[in-house]
Amino acid sequence: MKVLDIRVLGDPVLRKETTEVPQVTNDIRTLISQMFDTMYAAEGIGLAAPQVGRTERVCVMDVDGQKFAFVNPQIIESEGTIRGEEGCLSIPEIFGDVTRASRVVVRALDEHGKEFEAAGTELLARCMQHEIDHLDGKLFIDYLSVLKRRSAMSKWEKLKEDYPNFIRQVSLEQAGPHGSEGEL
Ligand code: NI
């Protein structure tokens, strides 16, 4: 088991476009396994490669036991809208309401390189959209109104001092104190 450092808001890697994975290699499988370890240690429900400083199109999630690793994911269907509170492991302690599709279908490769589709509703759908956004350099705060975003950013100005070099270290021994179910 290996827990990776989580990059927080301010690290340019979070705004970088990721690149398609040409082939699911052992290196990618190791990345996936370490991303799961990191996500669980941080008590999050989803994690995308840029959040651990990588630029491959890979993300993982576990929403109430619905566990997925997506390589090169694409949303191929989306319907309805639902508004709900969202957070992010890369922006600890900041939360905001975001409108998302209420149901999506994702097409991706699994850890063996096999194509599959997965449908999600409610929190799983929200998590799928949030993580795929990460792969396009997009963060949930981008959806907040100007005022809400401004207040979130002024709160972050103080919080970010806890993360020198934009690094959030998590360990298996002491999960939290910042971890929260709502962080994706
Ligand atoms: Ni996130």
Side-chain angles (χ1 to χ4, degrees), residues 46 51 87-90 130-131 134 139-140 183-184:
Q51 296 182 273
C88 179
L89 288 172
S90 292
H130 179 113
E131 302 314 328
H134 270 300
L139 303 171
F140 85 90
E183 290 177 357
L184 284 71

Side-chain angles (χ1 to χ4, degrees), residues 48-93:
Q51 296 182 273
V52 293
R54 299 279 292 245
T55 54
E56 295 94 337
R57 288 190 82 78
V58 173
C59 61
V60 300
M61 63 197 69
D62 186 342
V63 178
D64 301 323
Q66 295 176 282
K67 191 176 164 181
F68 296 100
F70 292 127
V71 177
N72 301 340
Q74 262 185 295
I75 292 174
I76 56 165
E77 266 178 55
S78 114
E79 64 185 40
T81 56
I82 190 167
R83 198 164 170 77
E85 192 176 65
E86 226 165 276
C88 179
L89 288 172
S90 292
I91 322 172
E93 297 173 73

